[in-house]
Amino acid sequence: MLLSLFIVLPLVVGLILLLMKNQKPMKWLGAFVGGVLLAAMTYLYYRGGSKEMSFAVEWFNFNHLKTYFALNATGLGGLMVFLSNLVYVLLFGYLASTKQKFNNSFYGLLLITLAGLNGVFLAQDLILFYFFWEIVLIPIYFLIGIWGKGNDKIKANMTFFLYTIFGSMFMLAGIIFIGFNLKPTSFLLEDVQAVTASRYCATSLLALLFLFAFVIKIPIFPFHTWQPTIYKTSATPVTVVLSALMAKMGLFAVVNWYIGLFPIQSEYLPYFLIPALIGILYASFIAISAIDVKKIIAYSSIAHLALIFISLFTNDATGYTGAFFQMFSHGLVVLGLWLIVDIMERRYDVRDIESMSGLATVNPVLAIFFIVFAMANIALPLTSSFIGEFMMLTALFKYNVAWAVIASLGVILSAVYMLRLAGALLFGEVKTRFVAVKHIESTGVIFVLSLIAILIIYFGVNSNSIFYLLAR
């Protein structure tokens, strides 16, 4: 029953904030909700029993098949819920420490998004999963459309909406086919798996209906074109949710509802993964040539997520674990990077690498944090990204040496574009309208950035803590 709290609490508080849109912004409520859920997740991990980690009640019937409100917090789903609420605590802590011009409606929609995210990661019923998968899109659509920036926000938002709806329609077609033709005992994961695994492989048309929806959400090349513009036009808190959490929805769905339902042993499967390999190099070269800061980070995410995606198909325990670990790590790293970008954009009007240089002189504290997050994005040893990336590359070398070489080249290129970005912004002659002023960030901002940096280093040194959560 406790698992229902992860959906009900952010949903109710989010709706309350929507009704209080003209009142004084209550940023602290988001941090409070995230903190309560983070504490509840910690309790489940360390004190909860097996009964508390799962919950199921009958929901309704679909074509005479039972549908359940079934939740489960074990394994990858539990880790992603832990990440979601951790990111929300840190994000709202940052927002509460800075002067942001958002009202309660904005914060309410963010919390409703959290309810949907938690639902996606916890759902163990196919209909319930699809319900939350679609619910997440609604608040995000309004968050981008109302609070987005730039002349392209409407076009970008519509592109994003059409992409995701189009992919979801394919998945819905697959669900209807399963319900009317395969007729499992219920829509619970294990019951659907019982009728799909024996008849359809990962390269069958039915399986690809699901995969198509998931690769759009991640996104994987060539279905990535909505992402860079959306990241650029969205308000930073929305970009954080999209990059750190919504991308993980797609990866989680690949694990739970694609690989989970359809056997991946197929001679044709490698051909379906070639676009992801191309995406690693394509995104890396775009990031190297780009001058827009947000575009560089956006394409960096495309490359990193493509590597995680490929590792899920190595059919190797090391590859799986490394991919899961990297999903968690990537969420923390991009959170830190986007918060730094938000500070530079609001304070120094930084938009591209030509608009500023010498940040280390003007704001040395911010420069130090940027270096930490940039090095984590490169997967430097002692950071959390190193563990997952090393495990994924190890599995890839065992699976296909050529693929591993291409993936390794992507790792090398990530060092090129991140060091280029850091060098252009941090060092050299001071080029900003605040040349003579040295800035010190507020205590709250430094605290949040410090927590992110500490967690990145902690999980890089003590990786067993994540492995323990995955084993629950």
Side-chain angles (χ1 to χ4, degrees), residues 289-336:
S289 62
I291 63 171
D292 186 277
V293 176
K294 289 186 173 182
K295 188 175 182 179
I296 293 171
I297 297 176
Y299 276 98
S300 169
S301 286
I302 291 174
H304 284 91
L305 294 170
L307 176 58
I308 297 172
F309 176 77
I310 294 170
S311 299
L312 294 173
F313 294 90
T314 56
N315 202 25
D316 183 275
T318 302
Y320 292 150
T321 307
F324 299 166
F325 194 102
Q326 195 69 350
M327 288 166 65
F328 182 87
S329 173
H330 181 264
L332 288 177
V333 173
V334 295
L335 169 63

Side-chain angles (χ1 to χ4, degrees), residues 91-167:
L91 175 60
F92 271 93
Y94 168 80
L95 292 173
S97 304
T98 55
K99 296 179 180 179
Q100 304 276 358
K101 298 179 181 179
F102 301 122
N103 59 21
N104 283 326
S105 295
F106 181 85
Y107 299 121
L109 288 170
L110 276 180
L111 286 175
I112 293 172
T113 304
L114 176 61
L117 286 165
N118 287 339
V120 167
F121 295 135
L122 292 172
Q124 288 296 294
D125 180 278
L126 184 55
I127 299 293
L128 184 66
F129 164 76
Y130 181 79
F131 172 78
F132 285 121
W133 181 270
E134 294 299 289
I135 284 293
V136 170
L137 183 61
I138 297 172
I140 287 294
Y141 177 79
F142 288 106
L143 285 167
I144 298 171
I146 298 174
W147 288 278
K149 296 169 285 186
N151 297 326
D152 296 334
K153 71 173 185 178
I154 301 299
K155 180 182 177 181
N157 197 23
M158 185 58 64
T159 302
F160 165 68
F161 186 80
L162 291 176
Y163 257 96
T164 51
I165 284 294
F166 188 60

Side-chain angles (χ1 to χ4, degrees), residues 86 121 138 162-163 180 260 278 336 349 363-364 394 401 432 448:
L86 176 60
F121 295 135
I138 297 172
L162 291 176
Y163 257 96
F180 281 94
I278 296 172
D349 197 28
N363 195 329
T394 299
V401 175
T432 172
V448 170

Side-chain angles (χ1 to χ4, degrees), residues 55-78:
F55 170 75
V57 293
E58 194 170 324
W59 194 13
F60 65 91
N61 289 342
F62 174 86
N63 191 34
H64 306 295
L65 300 178
K66 290 184 178 179
T67 298
Y68 291 86
F69 189 85
L71 309 175
N72 189 291
T74 59
L76 180 61

Side-chain angles (χ1 to χ4, degrees), residues 198-375:
S198 59
R199 305 186 195 182
Y200 299 93
C201 68
T203 55
S204 63
L205 178 59
L206 178 60
L208 294 179
L209 291 175
F210 286 83
L211 184 61
F212 188 68
F214 304 155
V215 296
I216 287 176
K217 191 77 78 176
I218 296 173
I220 297 297
F221 176 89
F223 306 106
H224 68 288
T225 53
W226 62 266
Q227 192 226 53
T229 307
I230 280 291
Y231 282 16
K232 182 178 178 180
T233 57
S234 299
T236 300
V238 180
T239 305
V240 166
V241 172
L242 288 168
S243 184
L245 302 176
M246 280 193 67
K248 309 308 180 298
M249 279 175 53
L251 289 168
F252 170 79
V254 168
V255 175
N256 218 48
W257 298 103
Y258 177 67
I259 297 176
L261 295 183
F262 307 99
I264 64 172
Q265 291 85 2
S266 171
E267 58 183 302
Y268 301 108
L269 186 61
Y271 297 104
F272 289 92
L273 301 180
I274 289 175
L277 275 174
I278 296 172
I280 293 176
L281 298 181
Y282 170 81
S284 298
F285 283 119
I286 292 292
I288 289 173
S289 62
I291 63 171
D292 186 277
V293 176
K294 289 186 173 182
K295 188 175 182 179
I296 293 171
I297 297 176
Y299 276 98
S300 169
S301 286
I302 291 174
H304 284 91
L305 294 170
L307 176 58
I308 297 172
F309 176 77
I310 294 170
S311 299
L312 294 173
F313 294 90
T314 56
N315 202 25
D316 183 275
T318 302
Y320 292 150
T321 307
F324 299 166
F325 194 102
Q326 195 69 350
M327 288 166 65
F328 182 87
S329 173
H330 181 264
L332 288 177
V333 173
V334 295
L335 169 63
L337 285 172
W338 284 120
L339 294 189
I340 293 289
V341 169
D342 182 63
I343 295 171
M344 291 193 297
E345 188 177 43
R346 289 186 302 103
R347 174 166 285 179
Y348 306 115
D349 197 28
V350 173
R351 300 182 184 277
D352 55 61
I353 59 177
E354 297 176 351
S355 61
M356 181 179 180
S357 61
L359 181 65
T361 301
V362 177
N363 195 329
V365 173
L366 194 65
I368 290 171
F369 283 119
F370 186 86
I371 284 291
V372 172
F373 302 143
M375 293 303 102

